Amino acid sequence: HGIRYEAFENQVLTAMTCKADVMKALTGKTPKASPLETLNARLSEAQGQADKFFKLIDTDPNPSPRLVAKFKDLEAQVAKLQSEIEVETFKEKAAGTAPQAYKQFLAAMPIQDRSEFRQRLLGVVERIDVVLGKGNFTIQFKGGATMVVESDLSN
């Protein structure tokens, strides 16, 4: 028995782009927004609100003290969120976890050629075990997590 390498590589790429399945294998749970993603969303919302209040204050020659106070509160909230984002970014970089490596793999998509694909894969995957004749393979990620992929590799 043998398999065509190109077909196998395509199956691995397809499996690796199924974010929910890979993150579940890596973390043992269904993916949710990371703390950094949550903080970035909150920052974006706070900045949007602050911009609206600034426009109101900027166009009013005599803005109400409550409006100015609310704007100052939003500015303080933005500064606090930016500080929290810096801390969380540092934590994620320092952790260097498999889920983080996988997110970097996804960020590199679309991958242009086979050598780049193999290089990116090395940052996330320890090894891939192919079961000839059964049509499946197991991806073992760095850190020990595994994911079985059912596939027709006989073509």
Side-chain angles (χ1 to χ4, degrees), residues 7 52-53 72-73 78 100-101 107 113 121 136 141-142 146 149:
K52 287 178 188 176
F53 276 87
K72 287 181 181 180
D73 288 345
V78 166
Q100 184 62 27
D113 60 37
L121 208 55
N136 64 16
F141 298 98
K142 292 191 174 182
T146 60
V149 179

Side-chain angles (χ1 to χ4, degrees), residues 3-155:
I3 59 172
R4 286 187 15 240
Y5 184 76
E6 185 176 315
F8 170 68
E9 196 172 67
N10 286 335
Q11 291 292 327
V12 171
L13 180 59
T14 299
M16 290 297 293
T17 55
C18 293
K19 184 177 179 180
D21 293 341
V22 174
M23 290 302 287
K24 187 173 182 180
L26 291 173
T27 63
K29 55 189 170 197
T30 304
K32 61 179 182 177
S34 73
L36 186 58
E37 291 169 333
T38 302
L39 286 170
N40 279 322
R42 287 177 48 205
L43 175 63
S44 179
E45 182 180 324
Q47 285 174 326
Q49 289 179 356
D51 288 345
K52 287 178 188 176
F53 276 87
F54 177 76
K55 287 176 186 172
L56 290 172
I57 292 169
D58 194 41
T59 58
D60 188 347
N62 190 19
S64 78
R66 285 179 52 195
L67 193 63
V68 172
K70 179 66 176 170
F71 175 68
K72 287 181 181 180
D73 288 345
L74 285 168
E75 281 187 318
Q77 183 180 1
V78 166
K80 181 177 182 246
L81 286 167
Q82 287 172 332
S83 174
E84 289 177 20
I85 286 170
E86 286 179 26
V87 169
E88 194 60 38
T89 300
F90 178 77
K91 280 188 203 175
E92 283 192 9
K93 285 182 181 176
T97 61
Q100 184 62 27
Y102 177 64
K103 287 178 184 176
Q104 290 172 349
F105 173 84
L106 287 179
M109 299 303 262
I111 294 173
Q112 301 302 320
D113 60 37
R114 295 170 99 165
S115 63
E116 182 184 0
F117 171 69
R118 286 190 295 269
Q119 189 64 33
R120 297 280 180 198
L121 208 55
L122 288 173
V124 183
V125 173
E126 187 71 36
R127 73 173 194 258
I128 300 173
D129 298 320
V130 178
V131 181
L132 293 176
K134 290 202 173 189
N136 64 16
F137 57 94
T138 302
I139 299 173
Q140 181 173 342
F141 298 98
K142 292 191 174 182
T146 60
M147 180 174 82
V148 176
V149 179
E150 299 293 329
S151 177
D152 182 18
L153 294 174
S154 59
N155 292 336

